[in-house]
């Protein structure tokens, strides 16, 4: 489903906060803050996770020179059971809050909802974004952090990072959201939770092609199309799928993936980065800054999410995936 | 695109599992862990009052102690990523499964966290070990009773 | 002579791990599945009387891999079954093999108070 925003809501401020390991990220220099302790000096990983979300939200407000009372909505999601880190951060923020779960696509789905609220006139300022904390996600979805189970070359490293954006009324000096596509849930029967890129690529394909078709656009209309966390192998699969439908190799060069690039070529991270904070921290730091400087004029951000739970794959269910996209421009 | 068609494409693009390399790594690391265990065996026989029959218990306990140190400093995880079955199959891997779960769930408290989760991963090994020992011993007992084999 | 002794332990231990790796890779199984299969295999070999000779030959090469866990549980059950009949099958299991589990529990409990897991990259 494609939404065209008549009022073109703008991203008035954005922030990215990351953990210590994310110093290895190629996007490191764009992050606002990097914390030395991955638990943010709290007792548990989950508390640290909540503190990271809180810190990212506070930076957004500080940048826009506003306070909690000025913000109408806080839209956030993460991957921990029942999204307690977002809930607990919202408790501290005391802003009207809707928790959203689109797995790693929450970075974009939250911005879509914020844009709709803004267009409706219901929101002056809304903070939207997503986060993930490696240890908390790893222990929940896979194994204890110090368990010596091997990971295959297809598996990805959940990042410790948060990315948040302040969505407000249109302002020509800031990047604006002109259209969005809410993705369907796509499932091609993949069952391997250590190969998320392979499970998610069809969802990205579905959303990107639907968006371009409905908007009557081509790849060349964009300076960049960036998926969320397909990883190195998932990106290759997506490119192969697009090539089959007649997209030319030079057009495919416009397609990049935040997860595939996040940790550079470091092989220790296997197929690249993943997690809700992966796309969020890259979109709301690097991409926004590139739009602001005018290097990009029009981008399509398509975040992908694998909608599984630790129980669902043990019960033999396949992995349903989704992808949400926003089209952003800079005048 | 049909699911079948997609899975073929996915298979094409995804790098294959390096079967031989994995097997060799497992062989060497597993072999080295067993060699260390063998050295520990000799240590207990030479310096303490253990015989070949009784040396198994202290050897296993010592190896699990080594496993605790490696697990606690995050090194067993690195070893596991390199060696896979080579570090999972020796009893140190069993120790790693128990100890890593205990460390991980400390934040949920001593009773519900450590107590409730310590056998989260290793429980399956105990289950299958006990269940199969039960059936194997039962079969042997039946066979002895009807006079097919002797103890 | 002692060198050959160590070499046999290395090779036999290595081969058992190699078999585990092949089960894991070809069967596309988790470590949990793989170890369960090996424990059951160890128990069956023990019942057939084949595991003890392997220990006599390879020492720690056969006692360190998890297969020996299945072996000692089975030997415990069989030994008690011989003495006490039907009841012994249940009561004898942990006679021989308690050290591995108790060591893991004790060290796990201690470690939980000392160490904190971190997201270390390989």
């Amino acid at each position: 489903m494609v939404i065209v925003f008549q009022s073109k809501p703008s991203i008035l401020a954005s922030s990215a906060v990351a953990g210590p390991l994310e110093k290895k990220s190629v996007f490191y220099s764009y992050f606002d803050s990097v914390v030395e302790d991955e638990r943010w000096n709290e007792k548990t990983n989950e508390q640290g996770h909540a503190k990271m979300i809180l810190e990212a939200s506070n930076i957004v407000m500080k940048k826009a020179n506003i306070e909690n009372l000025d913000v109408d909505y806080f839209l956030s999601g993460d991957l921990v059971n029942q999204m307690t880190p977002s809930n607990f951060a919202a408790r501290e923020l005391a802003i009207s809050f809707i928790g959203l779960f689109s797995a790693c696509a929450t970075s974009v789905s939250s911005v879509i909802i914020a844009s709709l609220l803004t267009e409706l006139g219901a929101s002056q300022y809304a903070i939207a974004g997503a986060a993930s904390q490696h240890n908390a996600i790893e222990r929940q979805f896979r194994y204890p952090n110090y368990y010596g189970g091997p990971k295959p070359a297809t598996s990805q490293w959940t990042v410790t990072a948060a990315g948040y954006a302040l969505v407000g009324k249109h302002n020509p000096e800031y990047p604006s959201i002109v259209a969005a596509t809410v993705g369907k849930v796509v499932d091609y029967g993949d069952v391997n939770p250590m190969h998320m890129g392979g499970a998610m690529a069809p969802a990205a394909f579905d959303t990107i092609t639907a968006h371009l078709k409905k908007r009557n656009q081509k790849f060349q209309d964009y300076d960049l199309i960036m998926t969320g966390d397909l990883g190195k192998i998932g990106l290759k699969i997506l490119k192969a799928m697009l090539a089959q439908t007649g997209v030319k190799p030079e057009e495919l060069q416009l397609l990049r993936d935040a997860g595939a690039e996040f940790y550079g070529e470091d092989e220790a991270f296997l197929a690249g980065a993943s997690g809700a904070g992966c796309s969020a921290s890259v979109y709301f730091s690097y991409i926004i800054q590139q739009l602001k400087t005018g290097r990009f004029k029009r981008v399509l951000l398509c975040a992908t999410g694998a909608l599984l739970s630790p129980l669902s794959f043990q019960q033999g269910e396949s992995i349903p995936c989704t992808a949400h996209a926003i089209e952003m421009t800079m005048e | 695109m049909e699911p079948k068609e997609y899975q073929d494409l996915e298979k094409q693009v995804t790098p294959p599992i390096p079967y031989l390399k994995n097997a060799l790594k497992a062989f060497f690391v597993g072999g080295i862990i067993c060699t260390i265990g063998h050295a520990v065996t000799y240590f207990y026989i030479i310096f303490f009052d253990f015989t070949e029959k009784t040396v198994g218990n202290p050897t296993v306990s010592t190896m699990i102690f080594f496993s605790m140190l490696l697990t606690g400093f995050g090194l067993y995880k690195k070893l596991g990523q390199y060696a896979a079955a080579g570090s999972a199959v020796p009893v140190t891997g069993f120790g790693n499964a128990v100890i890593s779960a205990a460390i991980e769930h400390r934040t949920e408290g001593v009773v519900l966290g450590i107590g409730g989760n310590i056998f989260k991963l290793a429980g399956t090994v105990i289950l299958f070990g006990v269940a199969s020992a039960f059936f194997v011993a039962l079969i042997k007992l039946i066979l002895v009773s009807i006079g097919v084999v002797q103890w | 002579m002692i060198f050959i002794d160590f070499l046999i332990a290395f090779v036999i231990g290595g081969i058992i791990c190699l078999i585990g790796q092949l089960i894991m890779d070809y069967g596309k199984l988790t470590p949990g599945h793989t170890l369960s299969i090996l424990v059951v295999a160890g128990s069956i070999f023990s019942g057939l009387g084949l595991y003890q000779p392997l220990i006599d030959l390879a020492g720690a090469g056969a006692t360190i891999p998890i297969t020996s866990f299945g072996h000692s549980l089975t030997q415990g059950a069989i030994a008690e079954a011989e003495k006490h009949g039907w009841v012994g099958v249940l009561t004898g299991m942990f006679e021989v093999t308690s050290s591995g589990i108790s060591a893991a529990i004790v060290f796990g409990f201690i470690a939980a108070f000392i160490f904190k897991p971190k997201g270390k990259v390989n």
Side-chain angles (χ1 to χ4, degrees):
Chain A
M1 197 56 223
V2 178
I3 306 162
V4 179
F5 294 106
Q6 303 299 338
S7 74
K8 298 182 188 171
S10 289
I11 292 186
L12 303 172
S14 67
S15 73
V17 176
L21 205 57
E22 281 58 37
K23 282 182 185 166
K24 292 181 184 237
S25 172
V26 296
F27 300 109
Y28 170 56
S29 58
Y30 298 95
F31 296 157
D32 295 288
S33 153
V34 171
V35 179
E36 285 304 326
D37 180 40
E38 54 203 355
R39 293 190 184 189
W40 262 258
N41 300 316
E42 296 289 327
K43 260 164 78 185
T44 71
N45 289 310
E46 288 73 13
Q47 283 171 349
H49 194 336
K51 208 169 169 188
M52 169 170 71
I53 294 173
L54 193 62
E55 189 179 323
S57 309
N58 283 333
I59 292 174
V60 165
M61 289 187 280
K62 206 170 161 196
K63 277 189 181 172
N65 214 0
I66 56 172
E67 286 179 17
N68 301 35
L69 287 173
D70 303 317
V71 182
D72 297 308
Y73 291 97
F74 176 55
L75 305 156
S76 171
D78 54 73
L79 304 174
V80 173
N81 289 333
Q82 285 78 38
M83 299 184 301
T84 47
S86 286
N87 300 342
F88 290 176
R91 176 181 66 189
E92 305 302 317
L93 286 167
I95 301 169
S96 300
F97 165 65
I98 308 173
L100 297 163
F101 185 82
S102 318
C104 308
T106 312
S107 54
V108 166
S109 66
S110 60
V111 171
I112 295 175
I113 307 284
S115 305
L116 283 168
L117 288 167
T118 308
E119 175 130 330
L120 207 66
S123 165
Q124 178 86 18
Y125 295 115
I127 295 174
S132 57
Q133 200 255 15
H134 177 86
N135 297 2
I137 307 311
E138 198 67 16
R139 75 202 295 250
Q140 179 187 318
F141 277 89
R142 298 188 183 98
Y143 294 114
N145 280 288
Y146 277 176
Y147 178 60
K151 287 182 179 170
T154 50
S155 72
Q156 291 164 253
W157 183 272
T158 308
V159 303
T160 300
Y164 284 82
L166 184 72
V167 181
K169 292 209 171 69
H170 181 70
N171 183 333
E173 286 174 34
Y174 296 95
S176 303
I177 299 142
V178 292
T181 295
V182 177
K184 294 174 190 164
V185 176
V186 179
D187 189 343
Y188 275 7
D190 278 42
V191 291
N192 184 359
M194 294 289 194
H195 192 358
M196 297 290 211
M200 294 192 295
F205 174 84
D206 195 68
T207 299
I208 292 172
T209 47
H211 187 89
L212 295 180
K213 199 176 164 201
K214 283 270 174 63
R215 295 277 291 156
N216 213 357
Q217 291 166 330
K218 288 198 183 91
F219 264 70
Q220 294 94 318
D221 293 324
Y222 289 92
D223 298 309
L224 168 72
I225 296 177
M226 193 182 235
T227 46
D229 57 354
L230 293 178
K232 289 176 180 133
I233 297 164
L235 180 64
K236 265 192 201 160
I237 296 172
L238 175 61
K239 283 188 173 176
M241 288 180 90
L242 287 164
Q244 279 191 4
T245 60
V247 180
K248 296 187 194 78
E250 62 268 25
E251 292 176 301
L252 285 177
Q253 292 199 340
L254 298 168
L255 182 66
R256 290 165 58 184
D257 180 68
E261 290 178 28
F262 198 88
Y263 291 115
E265 292 304 311
D266 195 336
E267 280 181 12
F269 295 95
L270 302 165
S274 70
C278 171
S279 57
S281 64
V282 175
Y283 291 172
F284 303 140
S285 65
Y286 168 72
I287 296 292
I288 297 285
Q289 285 172 38
Q290 297 296 310
L291 280 163
K292 270 187 176 164
T293 57
R295 223 196 109 207
F296 298 147
K297 294 275 181 223
R298 184 184 295 271
V299 298
L300 186 66
L301 305 178
C302 177
T304 45
L307 306 174
L308 82 168
S309 85
L311 287 185
S312 75
F313 76 78
Q314 284 175 5
Q315 291 174 345
E317 301 272 358
S318 55
I319 304 171
C321 295
T322 191
H324 302 300
I326 43 172
E327 180 184 338
M328 289 210 292
T329 60
M330 185 72 197
E331 285 161 33
Chain B
M1 196 180 272
E2 292 297 308
K4 179 80 188 65
E5 215 180 314
Y6 174 71
Q7 266 146 18
D8 289 343
L9 174 81
E10 188 184 359
K11 221 182 216 168
Q12 239 173 46
V13 177
T14 306
I17 299 173
Y19 292 106
L20 185 67
K21 204 170 135 199
N22 284 357
L24 286 177
K25 284 197 281 193
F27 175 77
F28 277 107
V29 174
I32 287 168
I33 293 175
C34 291
T35 311
I36 295 170
H38 209 59
V40 173
T41 308
Y42 271 100
F43 173 80
Y44 279 111
I45 290 175
I46 295 168
F47 294 101
F48 293 89
D49 205 9
F50 288 101
T51 63
E52 297 238 345
K53 269 249 174 281
T54 57
V55 78
N57 285 347
T59 305
V60 164
S61 306
T62 309
M63 292 305 281
I64 290 176
F65 176 73
F66 292 155
S67 174
M68 175 184 85
L69 295 180
L70 292 174
T71 303
F73 290 110
L75 298 173
Y76 212 88
K77 179 191 173 164
K78 293 187 184 186
L79 188 65
Q81 180 60 30
Y82 178 79
S87 63
V89 172
V91 74
T92 45
F94 176 80
N96 170 250
V98 173
I99 294 160
S100 66
I103 296 175
E104 186 65 56
H105 291 279
R106 172 70 185 91
T107 50
E108 284 82 63
V110 178
V111 175
L112 300 179
I114 303 176
N117 292 290
I118 192 164
F119 285 117
K120 196 168 119 164
L121 296 166
T124 171
V125 170
I126 298 176
L127 165 69
F128 281 98
V130 170
S132 74
F134 174 77
F135 285 113
V136 169
L138 195 65
I139 290 167
K140 184 141 189 194
L141 182 66
I142 292 168
L143 291 179
V144 171
S145 311
I146 58 175
V148 182
V149 292
Q150 286 188 325
W151 288 112
Chain C
M1 200 54 218
I2 197 155
F3 172 77
I4 303 222
D5 196 46
F6 272 87
L7 188 69
I8 293 171
F10 174 80
V11 171
I12 299 292
I15 286 173
I16 296 174
C17 294
L18 184 143
I19 292 168
Q21 187 66 45
L22 294 180
I23 294 172
M24 203 188 273
D25 279 350
Y26 280 98
K28 301 220 166 16
L29 296 173
T30 66
H33 286 88
T34 309
L35 297 183
S36 303
I37 291 170
L38 287 177
V39 166
V40 173
S43 165
I44 292 171
F45 276 107
S46 174
L48 296 172
L50 299 174
Y51 208 87
Q52 192 56 47
L54 195 65
I55 293 178
D56 295 340
L57 173 72
T63 57
I64 294 294
I66 201 75
T67 39
S68 87
F69 185 63
H71 161 70
S72 42
L73 283 169
T74 308
Q75 286 310 313
I78 288 177
E80 285 283 298
E82 191 180 353
K83 267 190 249 164
H84 305 294
W86 297 97
V87 187
V89 177
L90 270 179
T91 56
M93 258 177 237
F94 285 97
E95 294 266 307
V96 194
T97 189
S98 53
S99 72
I101 295 176
S102 51
I105 293 174
V106 170
F107 291 135
F109 192 63
I110 294 169
F113 292 95
I114 304 174
F115 300 107
K116 248 189 202 181
K118 288 186 177 156
K120 271 190 192 167
V121 74
N122 297 302

